[in-house]
Amino acid sequence: MSLTISIDAMGGDHGPQVVIPAAISALKKHPNVNLILVGDQDTIRHHLEQNQVIDDPRLQIHHASQKVEMDELPSQALRGKKDSSMRVAINLVKQGTAAACVSAGNTGALMATARFVLKTLPGIERPAIVSTLPTITGHTYVLDLGANVDSSAAHLVQFAVMGSVLAELVDGKPNPTVGLLNIGSEEIKGNERVKEASRLLEQTDLNYTGYVEGDGLYHGEVDVLVCDGFVGNVALKTSEGVVHMIRHFLRQSFSRNWLTKLAGLIASPVLKHFRNELDPRAYNGANLIGLQGIVIKSHGGADEFAFSNAINIAIIEAEKDVPNNISKHLEVLLEGQVL
């Protein structure tokens, strides 16, 4: 059975220069997938020709006359860019032409447009941004990573439901563990919002294990870690900063003199493995979860490898029908009056 994904070809820092090669790479990996490249048709055709792709029946072009800039206000993009590559790509999901959409564009504009066009799932008040972060045991789904900077206890429970369903479907875990990010593991720790969310989660059928401190994220204590968007975004950006700092000091240490350079050469296989394990590009692709459709946000500065990973995530989540499965789980909670 074939699957169609719409791609915002103009979004991100690099636009079609990165998106087109990544799309071609994705088609090679997934023979059952068709892609719709949305954006300026002349520009897209030019980049396809540069990549020696002239006529591929699995690769369509859908013209869009506008582009959302990376620094553009979400309200301006929503009102004034109705024919933007971002908006049209999301419209294709709404119309059922595409099963999912991928964009590296302006995060705020993407969230605002996706929420306006697709609407949220019944029982979900606010969509969230969810992605995986590497741990010593594999990876953990973390949400929210920045969509909602002020979330209620009920919102945190909704995030937990969505993250749990996602981990179960994508990773095949029948009963994913769920934790709340907090300043301590004791019941007395945390603000009233987190404490109330903990009480609500204990009433659900989720595999809720309690509070998790910041270092527990990287220990892999839970499969899904829940927090509000302010905390989640700070944790994400801090993690990225630590990775860059470690790489900087490693390069600096191994380049001090000929002995350290020799040591670096000997250790290069280990260092390469270390780099691959912590490579943010391998985890690129965040789901705007909670919508009545699948929208995957790629990092704006993603290269071909990273953007290809975002497309892969869109394909997996479309195959697993993530939104409908979240809806089914929410119905159970709503009937039990937990939410």
Side-chain angles (χ1 to χ4, degrees), residues 237-279:
K237 297 299 172 61
T238 301
S239 302
E240 292 175 350
V242 169
V243 170
H244 289 308
M245 181 186 69
I246 292 173
R247 286 178 174 173
H248 168 78
F249 284 133
L250 282 174
R251 284 194 298 267
Q252 191 178 64
S253 297
F254 281 116
S255 62
R256 286 181 179 174
N257 52 57
W258 70 269
L259 281 175
T260 58
K261 289 178 181 178
L262 178 61
L265 183 63
I266 296 171
S268 59
V270 176
L271 293 172
K272 182 178 180 181
H273 177 74
F274 173 78
R275 181 186 63 197
N276 291 339
E277 286 291 314
L278 295 182
D279 189 350

